[in-house]
Amino acid sequence: MSSKRAITRQSLPDVIANDIRERILNGDLPEGFTIRQEALAKEYDVSRMPVREALKRLDAEGLVQLTNNQGATVTKHSLDEIGEIFDLRILIEVDLFRRAIHAMTADQIERCEEVLEAMEASYDADDVSKWGAMNFKYHAALYAPAGRGLTNDVLQRINLQSDRYVRMHLSVMKQLGPAREEHRELLALARAGKVDEACALLTRHISDTKDNLLKLMTTKRADETS
C-alpha cells in the first residue's frame, strides 16, 4: 500500500529569512552589519520583493532593524540588553523547570535523553550551526511537562535573541565540556526528582553563561573602538 509523506513547503521569503537568520546566529552577519536589499536580491538571484518580506519577518523577530525600506541593520544589543536577555531566561526557565520535574513521564525523560545525545553529537562534530538550535530543543524538552504553552511562546522569542550569544559562548570561549556536563546533570537531577538542586543548577548554568559573555563582549567592543 502506498502512503503519503508530509513535506514542509516553504515560500521564497521563508527560505531567504531562514538563511539570513542562520547567518546572523552563526555570526556570519555580525551585529551592526548593514544589509542591503538590492545586494541580497542579487546574492539570492531573486527580485527585491521576497527579500523585503524576509527582512520584515526578521525585524519582527528582533534580529534586524529595518531602515527606510532600503535594507536593515543586524541588531546590536547593548551590554545591559544582553544581560537582560539572560536574566529573563533565568526567570522563565527556572519556573518552567520547577513545574515540569514532578510532571515528567518516563517517555518525556527518554525524549530529553534523545535530544541530549543529538546535541552531544553536534558538539563532537563541531557543528556550530546546530548548537543553538539543539540547546533550545533540549531545554524545551526539559520544560515540556510543565504544559505552559504561552510561557513557551515567550521563551522561544527570547531564545532567538540569546542563540547567537550561546553559540559564541560555546565556540569562542571553549565551553563545550562544561555545557555537556551541566546538561547531563540537569537531566539526572530531574530524573531523581531533586527540584531545588535542579533549579539551582539551571540558575547557575544560565548565570555563568551570562557573566562569561558579558566579559567577552566588553573586551570585544573595547577592541572595536580602540
Side-chain angles (χ1 to χ4, degrees):
M1 180 183 291
S2 62
S3 61
K4 296 181 178 179
R5 296 178 64 88
I7 60 172
T8 301
R9 289 183 170 84
Q10 293 184 311
S11 67
L12 192 53
D14 286 334
V15 173
I16 295 172
N18 290 343
D19 189 61
I20 297 173
R21 183 186 302 109
E22 189 60 29
R23 292 167 70 181
I24 292 171
L25 297 179
N26 275 342
D28 295 335
L29 297 177
E31 55 182 15
F33 182 82
T34 299
I35 301 173
R36 301 293 182 189
Q37 288 186 23
E38 185 176 350
L40 281 181
K42 289 181 179 179
E43 185 176 352
Y44 290 111
D45 194 21
V46 297
S47 70
R48 291 175 61 178
M49 185 174 298
V51 170
R52 185 181 305 114
E53 181 60 34
L55 290 177
K56 285 181 180 179
R57 297 179 190 186
L58 295 173
D59 178 69
E61 294 173 0
L63 289 178
V64 305
Q65 295 176 317
L66 283 173
T67 54
N68 302 323
N69 291 324
Q70 296 300 312
T73 302
V74 177
T75 300
K76 182 176 182 177
H77 292 293
S78 68
L79 295 177
D80 285 344
E81 287 172 335
I82 294 172
E84 184 179 359
I85 288 168
F86 286 88
D87 287 342
L88 286 169
R89 282 192 55 192
I90 292 171
L91 286 172
I92 295 173
E93 293 185 40
V94 172
D95 177 70
L96 285 173
F97 200 26
R98 185 174 296 278
R99 294 173 184 273
I101 291 174
H102 286 316
M104 281 185 175
T105 65
D107 286 345
Q108 287 170 325
I109 291 174
E110 183 178 352
R111 172 58 180 161
C112 291
E113 183 70 38
E114 290 173 354
V115 177
L116 182 57
E117 289 176 357
M119 180 165 58
E120 290 177 342
S122 75
Y123 293 165
D124 294 337
D126 199 29
D127 191 346
V128 180
S129 65
K130 288 186 178 180
W131 291 349
M134 292 305 301
N135 183 74
F136 179 70
K137 193 173 183 179
Y138 174 64
H139 281 263
L142 286 176
Y143 314 146
R148 307 281 282 188
L150 294 176
T151 307
N152 278 313
D153 288 343
V154 174
L155 180 59
Q156 189 163 6
R157 178 175 173 83
I158 294 170
N159 175 76
L160 201 55
Q161 306 305 315
S162 72
D163 191 348
R164 55 177 158 166
Y165 301 114
V166 169
R167 298 187 194 195
M168 189 182 301
H169 178 248
L170 291 173
S171 57
V172 177
M173 304 190 74
K174 308 299 182 185
Q175 292 295 312
L176 290 179
R180 183 193 295 257
E181 293 173 8
E182 289 178 0
H183 284 143
R184 275 280 164 199
E185 184 64 15
L186 285 171
L187 182 56
L189 291 170
R191 183 185 283 116
K194 296 181 178 180
V195 178
D196 289 341
E197 291 180 42
C199 290
L201 175 59
L202 179 59
T203 300
R204 188 169 66 251
H205 175 71
I206 301 173
S207 182
D208 286 349
T209 300
K210 168 192 164 183
D211 293 342
N212 288 333
L213 272 168
L214 288 177
K215 291 177 184 176
L216 173 66
M217 296 305 294
T218 298
T219 300
K220 181 174 181 291
R221 291 184 180 178
D223 290 343
E224 289 172 352
T225 58
S226 60

